[in-house]
Amino acid sequence: LFALAVIAIVIAVDAVVWVATQSPRMVLFATIASVAVIAIGSLYRIASLGGGGEAVAQQMGGTPVPENTTEPGLRRLRNVVEEIAIASGVPVPKVYVLEHEAGINAFAAGYSPNDAAIAVTRGALDKLNRDELQGVIAHEFSHILNGDMRLNIRLVGVLFGILMIGLIGRKILEHGRFGGRSRNVGAILIAALVAMVIGYIGLFFGRMIKAGVSRSREKLADASAVQFTRQTQGLSGALKKIGGLQDGSRLNQRGDAEEVSHMLFGDGVGFSGLFATHPPLLERIRALEPSFGGEDLARLQAKWIAMPPDGMQE
C-alpha cells in the first residue's frame, strides 16, 4: 500500500506537470522532486520522534505523572501501571496524562520497553473504576510487550512522507492571502491547491495502511490484557463506558489524534468501515462477554445519561 501510495502521488504530480509544461524534462524533474519530498518528510518525522515514547506523549500535550504524586487519581494510575509492569515482566514506563481530554483513551509509544511511555486521558482517570483502568493499562502493556508500539511509532514517521506534498500545499494556502499583489501569487496559489488535492491520495492510503496494521493487533492486545489481569470485567467495562458515555473515546485534538489513531486504545477520530483502526466496539465486548448485545449497550447508555458513573467512587 505504501508503494502504491508513492506511485500514485508521483503519477498525479507528473500528470499535472505534463499538462502545464508538455516537457519530458520537467516531468522527470517532478518525479525526482516528488520522491525526494516524500523521503525527506519521512526522515524528518522519524528524527523528530527520536526521543521515543516521551516525545510522542509530549507532542500530544501529555503531562508527566511524578513517581511521588499524592493526587488520588494519579496515585491510582501509577499503582496500576506498576502492578501491570510486574505482571507482564516489562520495565515501568514513563506515565503521562492528557489533561484536557474528556474521552476515555490511552496509548503506548516508544521504540523499546526501555524508552516506552504510556499516556492516559483525564476522562479515563475520572470515569473508569480501578479494574477498568487496569484493563486499559494492561491492553497498552501488550503493545509494549508484543513490539506493536515500535511498529506504530515508525509508521507515524513513514506515513508522514506521503502526506508531505499535501501539507506543503495547505500551508501555502493558509498564508497565501498575505502574499501581496505579485502576478506570480495566483499561479503559486493554484499550484498549492493542486498539491493539497494530490495530498488526499497520501491521506487515503495512509488511513488504509494504519487500519490494516492496527485492527488485528488490537484484538491481540485485548486478549493479552485478560492474561495480565486474569479477569475480563475490567476491560469489558471500559469498552462499555466508551460505547455508553457521550464523550466515548474521542480526542479533541483531531489533527494530532489522526496521526496516532492506530496507537490508541479506542477510536479517537471516528473512522469506520475501510478506515477503521479498531474492530467494532460491540465485537470487542462480545469477545470478552459473548452474551452482551446491542440492546444491553443501549440500556447502559440510558442509565448513564441519567446518572453518569464516577470512576473514583466505584
Side-chain angles (χ1 to χ4, degrees), residues 96-246:
Y96 285 80
V97 174
L98 306 181
E99 290 286 0
H100 303 295
E101 298 291 350
I104 298 170
N105 226 318
F107 66 83
Y111 289 103
S112 71
N114 293 325
D115 69 0
I118 285 180
V120 179
T121 61
R122 173 53 68 176
L125 294 185
D126 292 343
K127 296 167 185 172
L128 300 181
N129 64 33
R130 198 181 196 283
D131 285 347
E132 291 161 352
L133 182 62
Q134 192 179 62
V136 171
I137 297 299
H139 174 103
E140 297 308 323
F141 265 86
S142 170
H143 288 311
I144 298 175
L145 190 64
N146 295 329
D148 297 341
M149 65 171 190
R150 180 172 59 252
L151 173 62
N152 286 339
I153 197 172
R154 287 176 176 168
L155 205 56
V156 170
V158 170
L159 294 184
F160 188 80
I162 61 176
L163 301 176
M164 271 294 290
I165 291 175
L167 291 173
I168 291 171
R170 189 175 71 183
K171 289 298 182 184
I172 293 174
L173 285 175
E174 286 175 355
H175 300 288
R177 69 192 72 176
F178 306 111
R181 298 184 177 181
S182 168
R183 62 184 179 181
N184 295 323
V185 169
I188 292 172
L189 292 181
I190 291 173
L193 180 62
V194 171
M196 190 172 172
V197 171
I198 291 173
Y200 280 102
I201 297 173
L203 188 64
F204 172 81
F205 280 101
R207 288 177 176 176
M208 285 190 65
I209 291 168
K210 288 190 290 186
V213 167
S214 178
R215 279 195 293 260
S216 61
R217 291 174 179 268
E218 290 301 316
K219 291 181 180 179
L220 174 60
D222 282 350
S224 297
V226 173
Q227 279 187 309
F228 296 149
T229 61
R230 300 186 180 181
Q231 48 95 359
T232 61
Q233 292 85 356
L235 183 59
S236 65
L239 294 169
K240 290 173 188 176
K241 285 183 177 177
I242 286 176
L245 296 176
Q246 182 177 0

Side-chain angles (χ1 to χ4, degrees), residues 4-71:
L4 285 174
V6 174
I7 291 169
I9 290 169
V10 169
I11 289 174
V13 172
D14 287 353
V16 171
V17 171
W18 175 255
V19 169
T21 67
Q22 299 288 309
S23 168
R25 182 176 297 179
M26 290 301 296
V27 170
L28 177 61
F29 174 79
T31 299
I32 296 171
S34 299
V35 173
V37 167
I38 292 170
I40 291 170
S42 293
L43 291 173
Y44 162 78
R45 193 69 181 104
I46 290 171
S48 73
L49 298 172
E54 287 189 87
V56 179
Q58 289 167 3
Q59 288 177 27
M60 287 294 292
T63 302
V65 178
E67 292 184 17
N68 60 349
T69 181
T70 57
E71 183 188 326

